Amino acid sequence: MREADQQFRILRLLDRLQPLLRTTGIHYPTLRRILQVKLLMDRRRVPTLLSNRNRSEDEEVNYFVRSLWLYALLGLMLVLFMMLETQYMLLMSLVMGILMFFIMMSMISDFSAVMLDVRDRSIIMTRPVDGRTVGMARAIHTAIYLLMLTGSLAAASLVAGLIKHGVLFFVIYVIELVLVNLLILVVTSVTYLLLMKYLNGEKLKDIINYVQIGLTVVLAVGYQFVIRSFNFAGMDMAFEPVWWQLFLPPVWYAAPYEWLIGSGGSAWLYLLSALALIVPIILLMLYVRLMASFEQHLEKLAHSDAGRGRPRDRFDRMLSKLVCRTEEERSCFRFSAIMLRTEREFKLKVYPSLGMALFFPYLFLFSMSNSGSAWSEVRESSFFYFLYMMPLMIISAVFMLKYSGKSKAFWLFGAAPFSNLDPLYKGALKAFVVKIYLPLYFVNATVFAFIFGSRIIPDLLGILLVGTAVVPLFGKVMLSDPPFSRSFSMANQSGGGMVFAAMFVLGAVVAIHIASRIHVLGMAAFILALLIINVWGWKRTYSSAK
Amino acid sequence: MRNEVLSIRDLRMKFNQRYVLNGIDLDVREGEMIGYIGPNGAGKSTTVKILLGLTKGYTGTVRVFGEDIDAGSYEYKRRIGYVPEVAELYDQLTASEYLTFTGELYGLSADDADSKARQLMECFELEKVYHSRIATFSKGMRQKVLLISSLLHDPDLLFLDEPLSGLDANSVMVVKEILALLSAQGKTIFYSSHIMDVVEKISSRIILLADGRIAADGTFQELQQQSSEGTLEEVFNQLTGFHEHASIAQRFVSIVREGD
């Protein structure tokens, strides 16, 4: 661990900014040392996605840096925008909007942990270190990653812009990217500060959790929409000043282009450009002042009130009596229902794919109807088969059931006098079907019934039964470990292969489904067969008990 | 008269409309070995957090080494060592990296901190894992790292919250002896624990906190006379107004045995 090995290029870059940083009243050597330790730790932190790589203990690479090429690839999309012949105002509003969305998204989901690291409190703040220095180290730590991310995202469009629109465009683009990062970093921090001030720790953690889940879904769905709606034939509309543009940061950042290299200046453009520059700077000054109190409020996250809990498992009790036979299975059902509902890490990993299961059928429907067919044609069509997206997504979620953020607590099931863990498998799978699959499916089935009319009700029933049938069967195949027994950091993503197999199976089922529609009796036979498979599947798998 | 280390006047602290500290007055002098005890939620860790500047928003005055800590100063922490109850460490670092880093935060040079930490680790027979990541350590090993990191900069005032947790019997003896020696050499130690036998044996002065107030303050003998009880555990029960332990235990067992 010689000092020389631990030099990070980024720190040497930071040394150049030292005079500027000192003006905020921080202690630079301490700041540098804290950052060095943090960056060193990041090199050793392994993200879930890559943890299955067989790595040697000494291999130290920052996995975030390694995953940057993915963002660079994503950034290629922006090149297409650069090629458009249209007003800068529209073009750059769109580009900056997309960039800001990605940066914001990554800020909340990837770097919230960096911003809200409570270990700093007991490890650093108990030592003779100024709160402001710790806060600044935290902000710079986040900013380093944010800038790397932005750089990768914008790299391709920077080059394209330079070639197509010239040097001045490039310069404005670079300056704006820095300002946008500043804006996002400070807005997020101040938002967290306010949340921490008015909410207790547990509530705050829940809110951050849901924001992360929501953004992941919005990203996946929104991205599909952007790609699909990429026929900007009607993009030659003229830009007109409207008051609400004052509240849209991407529009601020589009204004300088229009002013300096587009159609020339106007009072409105000057105002928007001024906002682009002034708002981040004012917020930054505010943030530097608030930084010390940010550290104070973090205390809440570290120790939250127990509060008064309410018993609220009446409904689960009823459900468990309805769907489970043995007492052991019932209690496992209720336990699993609680885990599915409250375990944050599990929710973060699984709920996004459930959200996609909810939205993807509409996405395909939307793209189909977009390609020219009229609404009445859609009504008469067979696009309701897209609902098979749901069982498919559900299967990949079943695969995740074996993971838990609190996998170590699994010793409980080892200590309990169970002859085997079948009740747990069964209870967890049933809880998953009853508490997650059924509600989601009913929402979509209802909407689909309205779109396609009552003629598809037998089909909806069929798809429902397919979903409930595949859960125990794929559970048996895929859950090599009991539910909630493995840590996410051990997660290997080999589930991909299984989901691929599931696609084949479901493809075959869809084919049978389509064939059965030739005759009423065929449909009846299809549903009857599914019922039998359901009963057999739920009874036979995991029935070694007793 | 020995130098004053700590002086607290009318310290009050409110959380969610409820006072967790309700007027604490306390003077501590050099070399005192204070057993700081009280029921859960009595305000022990809140006091320590205020003294370390982790919690703000209290009323009253707190002086450490003669300096009012409300002024936003942090230099006084240079002379404090702290072992928190929860062993939070940067797991991804090796013991060597962690200890060097924390030493540097106190102003030690990296080389000094490193060589001192290595020698201290040797004393605890941990020299083999000095370059291993803390994530792989057992609870006792982590506790030893915490202890070393709290002492590396030779502090004058120590706050120890359950410092013996996770240590084996032999290590417990070593640590107790270390504390006695430090105390004899003029270091002031705040020892917070729920294990009364240990507090009774090592403390030169015992402060009992209950409901955010100081319920008793004195040597063990003085506390014994005050409540005419035998052990510190019994004194503790008496002073916190807790007499039902037998009946609660009986009720507990009868519930356990129900349906037999």
Side-chain angles (χ1 to χ4, degrees):
Chain A
M1 65 139 264
R2 291 273 60 88
E3 196 73 9
D5 307 339
Q6 295 181 22
Q7 288 295 336
F8 295 89
R9 252 174 296 159
I10 195 84
L11 289 179
R12 265 177 259 149
L13 208 67
L14 198 67
D15 289 338
R16 303 240 172 115
L17 295 174
Q18 195 174 348
L20 182 72
L21 288 170
R22 281 185 194 272
T23 58
T24 57
I26 55 125
H27 188 243
Y28 186 74
T30 309
L31 175 90
R32 196 177 192 283
R33 190 69 178 92
I34 294 174
L35 273 174
Q36 191 193 357
V37 162
K38 296 254 168 171
L39 291 171
L40 180 66
M41 286 195 287
D42 293 340
R43 280 186 176 183
R44 296 178 182 168
R45 190 169 292 141
V46 181
T48 35
L49 260 172
L50 298 162
S51 55
N52 59 332
R53 302 274 170 82
N54 32 5
R55 58 185 198 281
S56 65
E57 166 92 349
D58 298 322
E59 185 190 359
E60 287 181 3
V61 226
N62 191 316
Y63 284 94
F64 172 73
V65 175
R66 272 203 169 175
S67 67
L68 280 178
W69 65 269
L70 252 169
Y71 286 96
L73 216 61
L74 227 72
L76 282 176
M77 174 182 83
L78 294 174
V79 174
L80 295 171
F81 285 91
M82 289 293 159
M83 295 302 146
L84 293 174
E85 293 290 345
T86 181
Q87 261 190 315
Y88 283 108
M89 212 51 203
L90 285 169
L91 172 67
M92 290 317 285
S93 298
L94 217 61
V95 170
M96 294 314 272
I98 293 171
L99 272 175
M100 287 173 89
F101 176 76
F102 274 103
I103 301 169
M104 190 81 195
M105 153 88 203
S106 170
M107 169 81 213
I108 295 180
S109 59
D110 298 342
F111 305 126
S112 287
V114 177
M115 296 227 57
L116 303 170
D117 193 342
V118 287
R119 289 180 308 174
D120 290 358
R121 284 198 62 70
S122 63
I123 296 174
I124 299 178
M125 288 301 288
T126 54
R127 269 104 192 176
V129 179
D130 186 11
R132 192 172 293 228
T133 307
V134 181
M136 187 60 99
R138 193 192 292 281
I140 293 176
H141 185 198
T142 318
I144 288 172
Y145 285 128
L146 226 45
L147 282 171
M148 284 202 271
L149 171 87
T150 314
S152 320
L153 260 178
S157 54
L158 271 167
V159 176
L162 180 65
I163 295 166
K164 173 108 176 135
H165 303 287
V167 179
L168 185 58
F169 179 93
F170 181 82
V171 173
I172 302 175
Y173 200 5
V174 170
I175 296 173
E176 286 199 348
L177 287 177
V178 175
L179 285 173
V180 163
N181 270 303
L182 209 61
L183 184 72
I184 287 173
L185 180 65
V186 175
V187 166
T188 317
S189 313
V190 173
T191 311
Y192 281 155
L193 183 71
L194 291 176
L195 286 175
M196 282 191 282
K197 195 167 171 147
Y198 294 109
L199 295 173
N200 70 36
E202 285 302 300
K203 270 225 185 76
L204 178 60
K205 283 182 201 159
D206 272 341
I207 286 184
I208 293 172
N209 190 225
Y210 277 114
V211 168
Q212 289 171 338
I213 294 166
L215 275 172
T216 316
V217 175
V218 169
L219 177 74
V221 176
Y223 191 60
Q224 296 286 332
F225 265 98
V226 171
I227 289 176
R228 270 151 226 277
S229 57
F230 212 93
N231 41 5
F232 284 98
M235 275 276 286
D236 43 44
M237 46 191 157
F239 167 76
E240 276 169 49
V242 193
W243 62 269
W244 46 256
Q245 286 164 353
L246 287 178
F247 299 97
L248 290 178
V251 181
W252 308 344
Y253 288 98
Y257 298 97
E258 192 69 42
W259 165 25
L260 294 171
I261 44 180
S263 55
S266 71
W268 187 247
L269 290 181
Y270 298 149
L271 177 64
L272 289 173
S273 306
L275 282 175
L277 183 66
I278 292 169
V279 172
I281 291 176
I282 290 181
L283 281 173
L284 181 69
M285 277 155 54
L286 181 78
Y287 176 55
V288 170
R289 293 192 64 176
L290 289 175
M291 214 133 63
S293 69
F294 190 89
E295 298 302 310
Q296 285 299 324
H297 286 298
L298 269 183
E299 181 70 27
K300 268 195 183 173
L301 281 187
H303 303 274
S304 32
D305 271 0
R308 265 176 255 282
R310 275 174 292 128
R312 49 177 178 185
D313 63 341
R314 274 267 192 74
F315 187 59
D316 284 354
R317 245 167 229 280
M318 244 166 57
L319 279 178
S320 68
K321 287 222 175 88
L322 218 63
V323 298
C324 302
R325 287 284 173 76
T326 68
E327 270 311 316
E328 284 157 355
E329 195 182 315
R330 274 176 204 149
S331 58
C332 287
F333 173 92
R334 290 195 296 269
F335 167 76
S336 306
I338 296 166
M339 290 294 275
L340 296 175
R341 188 172 60 221
T342 57
E343 217 271 289
R344 289 196 192 99
E345 204 173 338
F346 181 83
K347 287 202 295 195
L348 187 59
K349 296 286 189 323
V350 175
Y351 278 26
S353 64
L354 298 176
M356 286 172 219
L358 192 63
F359 289 117
F360 267 23
Y362 300 104
L363 197 68
F364 284 92
L365 213 55
F366 169 80
S367 61
M368 287 302 162
S369 56
N370 209 24
S371 55
S373 47
W375 186 240
S376 57
E377 280 175 56
V378 174
R379 267 188 75 88
E380 298 304 315
S381 70
S382 303
F383 289 142
F384 58 83
Y385 289 117
F386 284 132
L387 217 46
Y388 271 103
M389 293 296 296
M390 294 199 77
L392 184 63
M393 289 300 204
I394 292 298
I395 286 172
S396 57
V398 166
F399 177 71
M400 299 298 283
L401 272 178
K402 64 178 166 199
Y403 297 114
S404 163
K406 293 271 175 283
S407 56
K408 280 191 183 144
F410 190 76
W411 64 265
L412 187 66
F413 291 96
F418 282 6
S419 63
N420 59 47
L421 288 172
D422 286 346
L424 178 62
Y425 278 104
K426 254 182 152 171
L429 289 173
K430 281 182 180 170
F432 182 76
V433 167
V434 173
K435 302 286 283 192
I436 291 181
Y437 176 60
L438 291 185
L440 287 179
Y441 184 77
F442 278 124
V443 170
N444 271 359
T446 314
V447 177
F448 268 62
F450 273 108
I451 296 176
F452 293 95
S454 57
R455 72 191 169 93
I456 66 158
I457 286 178
D459 302 276
L460 292 177
L461 185 64
I463 300 173
L464 170 77
L465 290 173
V466 170
T468 56
V470 294
V471 168
L473 299 179
F474 275 88
K476 185 78 187 176
V477 180
M478 296 199 296
L479 289 179
S480 45
D481 297 289
F484 314 115
S485 66
R486 300 285 304 270
S487 148
F488 278 107
S489 63
M490 296 289 149
N492 56 11
Q493 303 298 93
S494 61
M498 271 311 188
V499 173
F500 211 68
M503 273 170 86
F504 272 106
V505 173
L506 282 177
V509 173
V510 175
I512 298 169
H513 186 164
I514 294 173
S516 73
R517 286 193 109 244
I518 295 169
H519 197 271
V520 189
L521 281 179
M523 197 65 217
F526 180 63
I527 289 174
L528 190 69
L530 281 171
L531 276 174
I532 292 169
I533 295 174
N534 261 294
V535 172
W536 177 80
W538 284 104
K539 273 219 145 95
R540 279 295 159 161
T541 53
Y542 305 116
S543 61
S544 47
K546 304 280 144 65
Chain B
M1 201 67 176
R2 286 191 286 184
N3 288 330
E4 187 165 276
V5 171
L6 197 71
S7 150
I8 298 177
R9 285 287 165 277
D10 196 31
L11 178 64
R12 284 165 203 276
M13 177 80 203
K14 203 156 73 169
F15 275 135
N16 301 332
Q17 322 301 325
R18 195 176 70 86
Y19 276 100
V20 284
L21 294 181
N22 221 333
I24 302 249
D25 290 286
L26 185 62
D27 290 294
V28 177
R29 298 189 175 279
E30 228 172 62
E32 283 190 297
M33 175 84 177
I34 295 174
Y36 196 51
I37 58 175
N40 292 325
K44 295 190 305 286
S45 49
T46 307
T47 331
V48 172
K49 276 187 186 151
I50 288 173
L51 288 166
L52 283 161
L54 289 176
T55 302
K56 294 246 159 65
Y58 58 87
T59 59
T61 51
V62 180
R63 289 173 168 280
V64 184
F65 304 116
E67 188 183 349
D68 191 334
I69 63 163
D70 200 26
S73 67
Y74 51 88
E75 281 298 321
Y76 72 94
K77 291 186 202 172
R78 212 171 279 282
R79 296 172 65 188
I80 297 181
Y82 175 48
V83 172
E85 187 187 2
V86 185
E88 297 263 36
L89 294 159
Y90 289 138
D91 281 353
Q92 299 97 328
L93 298 180
T94 65
S96 149
E97 286 161 349
Y98 180 81
L99 291 170
T100 311
F101 172 60
T102 54
E104 280 179 81
L105 290 179
Y106 286 103
L108 268 64
S109 80
D111 288 335
D112 287 352
D114 185 35
S115 81
K116 209 167 166 181
R118 185 198 308 273
Q119 295 171 49
L120 292 173
M121 286 288 277
E122 273 169 28
C123 295
F124 281 135
E125 291 172 345
L126 290 176
E127 66 275 9
K128 282 206 196 73
V129 294
Y130 187 54
H131 290 295
S132 307
R133 293 193 193 169
I134 297 172
T136 63
F137 285 17
S138 70
K139 194 163 184 299
M141 288 155 84
R142 294 169 71 96
Q143 193 67 22
K144 287 174 185 170
V145 172
L146 269 182
L147 275 165
I148 292 173
S149 103
S150 75
L151 288 165
L152 209 51
H153 56 292
D154 190 19
D156 296 317
L157 173 58
L158 269 171
F159 293 105
L160 309 175
D161 200 340
E162 296 289 0
L164 303 180
S165 83
L167 298 182
D168 63 45
N170 296 337
S171 308
V172 165
M173 278 173 72
V174 175
V175 172
K176 278 201 227 166
E177 190 60 30
I178 290 172
L179 296 182
L181 285 171
L182 286 171
S183 169
Q185 294 177 15
K187 308 288 187 194
T188 311
I189 299 172
F190 256 74
Y191 187 99
S192 180
S193 173
H194 292 297
I195 303 163
M196 292 298 126
D197 324 359
V198 180
V199 176
E200 178 184 323
K201 288 210 185 78
I202 66 173
S203 311
S204 67
R205 175 182 171 189
I206 292 169
I207 295 171
L208 194 156
L209 218 64
D211 295 327
R213 285 195 186 80
I214 292 178
D217 181 354
T219 62
F220 175 53
Q221 286 72 26
E222 285 166 357
L223 261 60
Q224 265 180 324
Q225 282 157 15
Q226 205 177 320
S227 59
S228 61
E229 291 284 354
T231 67
L232 182 58
E233 196 169 61
E234 287 160 346
V235 174
F236 185 94
N237 295 151
Q238 161 112 32
L239 290 176
T240 51
F242 185 77
H243 309 288
E244 310 86 53
H245 71 274
S247 63
I248 289 178
Q250 237 154 40
R251 186 170 130 74
F252 193 98
V253 170
S254 75
I255 296 170
V256 168
R257 307 275 304 173
E258 238 168 49
D260 255 16

